[in-house]
Amino acid sequence: MAQEKFTFQAEVSKLLDIVAHSLYSQKEIFLRELISNASDACDKLRYAALTDPKLTEGDNDFRITLIPDPKAKTLTVADNGTGMNHDDLTGLLGTIARSGTQAFVDQIGKKKDQNKDGDGNKEKNDMALIGQFGVGFYSSFMVAGKVEVLTRKAGEDKAWLWSSDGKGEFTIDAAQRDGRGTDVIVHLNKKDEEYLEPIRIETIVKHHSDHIGIPIVLKEGDAAKETERTLNTASALWTREKKDITAEQYKEFYHHVGHTFDEPWMTLHNKIEGVVAYTNLLFIPSSRPYDLFHPDRKAKAKLYVKRVFITDDCEGLLPPYLRFVQGIVDSEDLPLNISREMFQHNPQLAKIKSGLAKRILSELKKKAEKAPDEYEKFWENFGAVLKEGIYEEPENRERILALARFKSSETDGLITLDDYVKRMKDGQDTIYYFSGDNVDALMESPHLEGFKAKGVEVLLVTDPVDDFWIPSVGEFDGKQFKSATRSGADLSGIKEDGKSKDKKKDKKKDEDKDKGAEAIEPLLAQFKVALGDAVKDVRASSRLTDSAVCLVAEDGDMDIHLEKILKQHGQLNSTELTPRVLEINPGHSLIVGLSERAKKGDGKDKLINDAAHLLLDQARIVEGEPIKDVKAFSRRLSAVMESGLKL
Ligand code: ADP
Ligand code: MG
């Protein structure tokens, strides 16, 4: 059969170009990546052999062999794993298979755009990104002018030779190989010949790959005198005693298992001897993975049974709200011979899942108590995800609520719900919250004016999930949650604190307000007629101090921010708006003036009608809502300005 020629998928070419031309300081990671792939290939075959033992017949001992050849200037990474057939080679090594690599290329693309005006830092950025993502197989082109892959898939007769110089094309030839598995033959560049030296290889393996569960063997010498030496400890890391594992080894394992490149923020290594025996070695990352809010929301921990890798796609292992957790769970007590799909309904697995969730939450609690600053970093990264558990998993609701941290209108730091309740004012029986897109905008909003004036604390929440869990929980410690944008958020029963020093003046202010509220009745009536169905009601407000108007939701109606989120996600018809209550501030000079005019007028005053609509539009703008009828808005605005000129 003649040689076949292929071109790489465009993204791969881009990637190869970056990899080959970056003077990456840690080139040695190419070896870690190739060993990692070899180990994955053995894991895959071991699993497949559970149902088809013929696949590993005659060769049951998995191993990875490293063969430096000083004459040929090649370093070969060989494995007896699952191998690849022709389709695998074109699919897996010609395109970007893993979404992580795709994300890497996207990031590079973005950085390139940002650098169009040329700050000269492009190279540096690219390299930092390679460090962040790792690029698997392709990283071998950092040290090689040519890479060959001689491979034969388990259970098949044909072998293939894939070859490329990493410059846009690769070829595939029919070939010969004794037995299944893969040799990756790295033709080292002149300047990278250090990777032929046994000492160098050994150091890299010890440093980056010691955690690999199968032997990594170094083959030295020639046919006349060949020696073999195992370089790693060669037992699965999680089966070792905690005291025998260094922080560095945990970290390398975390990088391998999670395809991540940051430091683990927390490491949980436990052996459980309960009704179901299992070991977990789990990690919480120190930075957000790029796909945290990917719609499929799957947890990623890998499931092993008796050291055999089963799946990294096991929905029943960890709940979706813990999907940021990386690592492995290995159980002695799960059956080896059932299909991956069956695991999801296995009662023992359900026990493991519930045990893991409790352990993770309790470790988080400990950390929050012992190292609050560190905990806040975690919360910034993953709080939005953890909060999903409040409504998804009622059995852990209280635990997660205790872990939740909040920004608030009264402090710069983060507070807990307990803190909030302890700081509630005399006469306050409600936990007020205010949801929106960002804290700065919330702090500027008219809705907070009354709360601020009275020193009543409001939780400021900005994650979309907040609009779901808060209504679903309803209360904490016997206190109702209530949105600051609700009409029922009535502060009159709450006593002022020492904040406002001049009590007399405050009292007078309140009396003025009450008087004002009566005085504006005629104005309210005329506004109601003018606005008709556009509002649910027009009322005097006790929450406003500086602004003239604001929109609030009637109790029982949908929360204003929730409505916005649902619309953004196409869950609600975007042209339909729930009519709101327009609250007006009787103490505001504009309202006082309009009110005087309304009392004297005949109820058909055009200026007051225009003002009603303009003020409603203004309140909508403050909410970040678009103006419904832009033409009418401009006409009224011009009319009002003209009438101002006539005065
Ligand atoms: P990743 O390991 O993250 O999937 P890589 O770029 O390292 O990405 O590898 C791409 C794919 O090529 C792997 O997912 C695997 O399917 C295949 N592959 C690479 N090396 C081997 C190998 N030694 N044996 C079998 N398959 C391999
Ligand atoms: Mg890989």
Side-chain angles (χ1 to χ4, degrees):
M1 201 172 123
Q3 183 177 71
E4 295 174 273
K5 221 181 213 153
F6 301 85
T7 42
F8 284 113
Q9 185 192 13
E11 283 82 359
V12 178
S13 292
K14 227 192 286 176
L15 186 68
L16 283 166
D17 188 52
I18 294 158
V19 167
H21 294 106
S22 65
L23 303 163
Y24 187 46
S25 61
Q26 264 209 317
K27 279 187 187 179
E28 64 183 45
I29 62 117
F30 88 91
L31 190 52
R32 169 187 76 187
E33 295 295 327
L34 295 183
I35 290 173
S36 175
N37 285 350
S39 161
D40 287 348
C42 293
D43 270 355
K44 274 184 213 159
L45 182 58
R46 197 188 271 139
Y47 175 75
L50 291 176
T51 44
D52 187 0
K54 276 210 294 292
L55 289 175
T56 52
E57 219 163 53
D59 183 6
N60 279 309
D61 293 324
F62 290 101
R63 52 159 28 198
I64 299 166
T65 314
L66 308 179
I67 313 150
D69 182 338
K71 282 198 203 104
K73 312 277 188 235
T74 58
L75 173 62
T76 298
V77 179
D79 67 66
N80 55 351
T82 176
M84 286 176 274
N85 61 22
H86 188 277
D87 282 355
D88 293 337
L89 281 173
T90 52
L92 300 169
L93 296 185
T95 57
I96 290 183
R98 180 156 65 89
S99 54
T101 317
Q102 179 64 57
F104 169 75
V105 173
D106 292 347
Q107 291 279 343
I108 296 272
K110 260 188 231 151
K111 282 271 153 37
K112 279 211 168 126
D113 290 344
Q114 281 164 17
N115 284 326
K116 266 198 182 124
D117 34 76
D119 61 1
N121 273 337
K122 180 191 149 303
E123 201 81 338
K124 234 164 110 199
N125 286 335
D126 289 353
M127 277 180 272
L129 277 167
I130 290 176
Q132 231 181 68
F133 284 93
V135 286
F137 173 76
Y138 305 111
S139 62
S140 51
F141 287 102
M142 287 195 295
V143 295
K146 174 167 145 186
V147 177
E148 290 174 304
V149 180
L150 175 62
T151 181
R152 179 170 148 193
K153 190 156 185 158
E156 297 184 16
D157 302 329
K158 283 187 183 152
W160 303 96
L161 182 70
W162 180 101
S163 175
S164 177
D165 60 4
K167 294 205 174 73
E169 287 180 344
F170 62 89
T171 58
I172 297 180
D173 290 89
Q176 293 296 318
R177 192 185 194 277
D178 292 338
R180 65 168 200 254
T182 303
D183 299 334
V184 178
I185 306 152
V186 181
H187 293 259
L188 293 162
N189 295 327
K190 185 106 192 83
K191 61 178 189 302
D192 296 309
E193 284 175 13
E194 59 184 278
Y195 301 108
L196 293 169
E197 292 161 23
I199 291 289
R200 186 82 175 95
I201 295 172
E202 182 169 0
T203 316
I204 299 173
V205 170
K206 286 236 159 73
H207 184 239
H208 292 294
S209 307
D210 188 61
H211 59 80
I212 297 285
I214 54 175
I216 304 170
V217 177
L218 178 66
K219 216 182 223 182
E220 286 178 86
D222 47 29
K225 187 177 170 288
E226 200 167 73
T227 60
E228 284 191 0
R229 205 148 55 86
T230 301
L231 302 180
N232 62 334
T233 312
S235 63
L237 189 74
W238 62 90
T239 62
R240 304 180 204 167
E241 292 294 324
K242 265 185 183 180
K243 63 173 170 45
D244 299 333
I245 307 174
T246 65
E248 193 62 26
Q249 285 171 325
Y250 275 130
K251 185 172 111 181
E252 286 296 338
F253 180 75
Y254 163 63
H255 289 177
H256 164 72
V257 75
H259 288 298
T260 42
F261 294 84
D262 56 344
E263 297 278 327
W265 178 79
M266 183 187 264
T267 302
L268 292 97
H269 186 187
N270 312 84
K271 285 192 172 62
I272 309 303
E273 309 282 351
V275 194
V276 193
Y278 64 92
T279 299
N280 64 263
L281 176 48
L282 298 173
F283 304 89
I284 296 177
S286 58
S287 57
R288 265 190 186 191
Y290 64 92
D291 61 351
L292 193 58
F293 293 100
H294 195 271
D296 75 8
R297 302 194 320 127
K298 271 188 200 150
K300 297 190 205 70
K302 294 188 159 114
L303 177 66
Y304 283 72
V305 175
K306 302 181 183 73
R307 251 88 51 224
V308 177
F309 169 70
I310 304 295
T311 176
D312 52 8
D313 185 17
C314 183
E315 267 180 47
L317 189 53
L318 278 175
Y321 71 86
L322 293 175
R323 62 184 173 275
F324 51 85
V325 175
Q326 301 276 2
I328 67 95
V329 177
D330 185 358
S331 176
E332 298 295 322
D333 292 345
L334 291 174
L336 257 175
N337 56 351
I338 64 174
S339 75
R340 284 173 180 157
E341 292 70 33
M342 296 277 287
F343 269 110
Q344 309 193 353
H345 310 290
N346 181 292
Q348 282 152 314
L349 190 72
K351 285 212 178 70
I352 296 179
K353 176 183 178 183
S354 130
L356 288 172
K358 292 218 166 66
R359 184 157 320 110
I360 294 167
L361 295 176
S362 93
E363 286 302 317
L364 286 172
K365 181 165 175 247
K366 276 189 219 156
K367 190 84 159 188
E369 284 159 7
K370 266 195 264 165
D373 291 350
E374 269 182 67
Y375 180 75
E376 286 191 4
K377 276 186 217 141
F378 159 80
W379 184 257
E380 262 170 44
N381 283 332
F382 303 117
V385 177
L386 199 65
K387 281 187 281 192
E388 293 170 12
I390 298 173
Y391 60 86
E392 278 179 0
E393 204 164 76
E395 69 173 286
N396 285 319
R397 170 176 289 183
E398 299 308 318
R399 287 187 183 86
I400 303 173
L401 281 175
L403 289 169
R405 295 292 178 273
F406 298 88
K407 300 210 170 93
S408 108
S409 58
E410 292 290 304
T411 160
D412 290 333
L414 294 178
I415 65 164
T416 63
L417 286 175
D418 268 331
D419 295 336
Y420 183 95
V421 170
K422 278 193 202 115
R423 291 175 358 193
M424 278 169 55
K425 297 267 172 276
D426 285 349
Q428 181 184 353
D429 56 2
T430 305
I431 300 173
Y432 293 107
Y433 71 96
F434 188 12
S435 70
D437 299 334
N438 71 75
V439 167
D440 291 339
L442 290 177
M443 280 301 278
E444 293 299 315
S445 163
H447 289 112
L448 281 191
E449 288 173 5
F451 292 92
K452 282 190 199 156
K454 286 207 165 180
V456 174
E457 186 156 34
V458 178
L459 301 174
L460 306 175
V461 294
T462 52
D463 294 318
V465 60
D466 295 317
D467 289 293
F468 298 94
W469 76 259
I470 297 179
S472 95
V473 170
E475 60 166 58
F476 175 80
D477 197 17
K479 322 276 186 297
Q480 294 272 324
F481 283 101
K482 183 163 250 167
S483 166
T485 59
R486 290 232 172 254
S487 61
D490 176 11
L491 303 178
S492 56
I494 302 176
K495 298 205 179 69
E496 304 266 338
D497 62 357
K499 262 197 163 179
S500 348
K501 283 180 199 83
D502 197 342
K503 289 259 152 85
K504 252 193 214 145
K505 204 170 134 203
D506 276 355
K507 192 153 173 264
K508 190 170 169 304
K509 240 184 136 176
D510 274 355
E511 281 168 8
D512 280 357
K513 245 189 200 159
D514 290 346
K515 251 191 256 155
E518 275 165 42
I520 66 167
E521 279 304 332
L523 181 66
L524 292 179
Q526 203 176 329
F527 269 22
K528 273 183 222 175
V529 174
L531 296 175
D533 287 345
V535 293
K536 201 150 198 179
D537 198 2
V538 185
R539 290 178 201 154
S541 174
S542 68
R543 81 182 71 217
L544 295 172
T545 58
D546 301 332
S547 304
V549 289
C550 72
L551 283 173
V552 300
E554 184 81 301
D555 274 348
D557 279 354
M558 190 182 288
D559 183 76
I560 293 179
H561 188 245
L562 177 60
E563 183 177 78
K564 204 155 137 195
I565 291 179
L566 292 177
K567 269 191 212 145
Q568 276 164 4
H569 290 84
Q571 309 270 5
L572 273 185
N573 184 340
S574 60
T575 53
E576 255 170 54
L577 275 172
T578 312
R580 301 298 181 189
V581 175
L582 182 69
E583 285 198 357
I584 61 182
N585 178 359
H588 194 280
S589 54
L590 172 62
I591 301 297
V592 173
L594 285 169
S595 176
E596 290 301 314
R597 198 171 157 126
K599 265 186 260 175
K600 288 179 212 143
D602 57 357
K604 293 196 186 107
D605 189 341
K606 183 164 172 303
L607 178 74
I608 289 185
N609 282 349
D610 283 346
H613 285 282
L614 284 171
L615 285 169
L616 175 61
D617 283 337
Q618 181 188 318
R620 283 210 180 110
I621 293 170
V622 172
E623 286 308 326
E625 294 281 351
I627 292 175
K628 251 189 177 170
D629 185 346
V630 182
K631 262 195 192 149
F633 172 79
S634 334
R635 197 182 60 234
R636 289 186 187 115
L637 188 61
S638 305
V640 170
M641 285 193 285
E642 261 173 43
S643 69
L645 287 176
K646 280 181 208 144
L647 287 180

